[in-house]
Amino acid sequence: MSVAVGIEARRARRRAGRRAASFAIPLLLVVLAITAIAALTVGAAGIPLSRLPAALGLAGESTAMTARDQLVLWSIRIPRIAAAAMIGGLLAAAGAIMQGLFRNPLADPALVGVSSGGALAAASAIVFTDSRFGEALRFLQTELLPLAAFAGSLATTAILYGISSRSGRTSIAIFLLAGVAITAIANAGIGLLVFIADDRQLRDITFWMLGSMSGATWTKAAVLAPILIAGLAACAFIARGLDLLVLGEADAFHGGVDVERLKRISIVIVSAMTGVAVSISGVIGFVGIVVPHLLRLVIGPAHRLLLPASVLSGAILMVGADTLARTIVAPAEMPIGILTAAVGAPVFLFILLRQRGLAAL
């Protein structure tokens, strides 16, 4: 009797999970739209909801106030919201792929050292362009920072892939351990740069390490868009393989998955997503680990749904966090990494305590 009750309870949970999953994407789209609209109206230069249609050019007469609202929206706020949404989606999707690749719901893109490699390159660019050796390039510092961060992320990926690959096979365990070592080396380099930096350089490095969307522009948003689109297309391609990989590499291979090819593609996708996000916003933690893990608890582990849901949920989290970052201490701005850590760390501890409780059963 108890066995039958248990089986029926599991079936009921699966049915409930399927129902929740069917509504997940439409619900997340609605929440993202509401969050974006709220972000448009909130800020140091507030735009009431009644003036928003005119500011967007959808209705109303052209007045001095309308012109001011349009300037704020189209030059500053809309590109910032677009960049925040895409960066949140990239980080969350990268986290979901990492967790599927490592078969560990607590895996995170930062584990492989890509973020740290990008941060080291960005910190090097800050110190170099502000020194007498790089003063000729000082006027290009704003443009060099994202380029340096992206180059550092790609270089880190190349090093890690070279270390973990042998005879055409990639060891995920070695890739992870090498990532930990590369992270330690990069952090040591950042520490050295912090030690030799002057006050202005130190402030720039610290602000970069804490993450910020203050430098978002249409140009940077245009850089993010193709990476996000390509990443989503690649996610659709690897979703089935990640589902089968949960059963183990041998079972995935017998299920028709080219495991080594899946590893290489996943590593490249994670590195590209994380690298381009870090290059625009700086280092932002906990998005890649918390968002996909919580979604797994709600909609299940199927990557066909989990990956797009992670993109939307990451976008919602990042847009909301950025809105708080630019309003909570207005007219100043709080680094967004502080907010994501303040929210993500307690959630991460809750996940750990929950897993400990399940393991004790």
Side-chain angles (χ1 to χ4, degrees), residues 10-337:
R10 285 195 293 272
R11 288 176 177 172
R13 285 196 296 270
R14 283 197 294 268
R15 287 195 296 268
R18 285 194 292 269
R19 285 195 298 269
S22 64
F23 290 106
I25 299 300
L27 178 61
L28 288 173
L29 285 171
V30 171
V31 174
L32 178 58
I34 293 172
T35 306
I37 292 172
L40 288 174
T41 62
V42 175
I47 301 175
L49 195 59
S50 59
R51 297 209 310 260
L52 189 59
L56 292 172
L58 301 177
E61 299 179 357
S62 178
T63 63
M65 183 61 71
T66 301
R68 171 261 193 190
D69 291 344
Q70 289 177 339
L71 179 64
V72 170
L73 280 183
W74 293 103
S75 299
I76 301 173
R77 202 161 290 173
I78 292 179
R80 180 167 180 156
I81 292 171
M86 287 187 282
I87 287 172
L90 287 168
L91 293 175
I97 294 172
M98 282 288 293
Q99 291 172 11
L101 186 63
F102 285 95
R103 302 191 292 278
N104 187 336
L106 298 180
D108 178 54
L111 288 175
V112 299
V114 177
S115 297
S116 297
L120 174 60
S124 301
I126 290 172
V127 174
F128 176 74
T129 56
D130 208 32
S131 67
R132 62 187 180 89
F133 300 104
E135 60 183 358
L137 299 174
R138 188 172 302 168
F139 72 101
L140 290 174
Q141 187 183 75
T142 302
E143 290 76 15
L144 285 176
L145 270 179
L147 291 175
F150 189 59
S153 299
L154 289 180
T156 302
T157 302
I159 293 170
L160 289 172
Y161 189 76
I163 293 173
S164 59
S165 298
R166 185 177 182 182
S167 301
R169 298 181 62 84
T170 304
S171 171
I172 294 298
I174 294 177
F175 188 86
L176 175 60
L177 293 174
V180 173
I182 293 294
T183 299
I185 294 171
N187 288 337
I190 294 170
L192 177 62
L193 292 172
V194 167
F195 179 74
I196 65 176
D198 59 28
D199 290 342
R200 185 174 62 179
Q201 295 167 352
L202 181 59
R203 179 176 177 81
D204 289 343
I205 292 172
T206 302
F207 204 67
W208 178 271
M209 293 297 296
L210 292 175
S212 174
M213 296 302 306
S214 59
T217 62
W218 282 115
T219 302
K220 293 180 179 178
V223 171
L224 291 165
I227 300 297
L228 180 62
I229 294 171
L232 285 174
C235 286
F237 177 74
I238 65 174
R240 177 179 174 273
L242 291 175
D243 287 341
L244 292 175
L245 193 62
V246 174
L247 304 174
E249 292 189 13
D251 290 335
F253 176 77
H254 291 300
V257 177
D258 187 338
V259 177
E260 292 303 315
R261 185 184 181 201
L262 176 64
K263 290 178 185 178
R264 290 192 295 269
I265 294 174
S266 299
I267 289 170
V268 170
I269 294 172
V270 169
S271 301
M273 285 180 165
T274 308
V276 74
V278 168
S279 72
I280 302 299
S281 65
V283 181
I284 298 175
F286 288 100
V287 177
I289 187 171
V290 171
V291 169
H293 187 89
L294 291 179
L295 285 174
R296 272 189 171 86
L297 300 178
V298 177
I299 65 175
H303 289 84
R304 178 182 58 83
L305 181 62
L306 178 65
L307 290 171
S310 295
V311 171
L312 293 174
S313 299
I316 293 168
L317 175 61
M318 192 62 67
V319 171
D322 181 57
T323 303
L324 283 177
R326 57 186 172 83
T327 57
I328 197 170
V329 291
E333 182 176 318
M334 179 180 292
I336 194 171

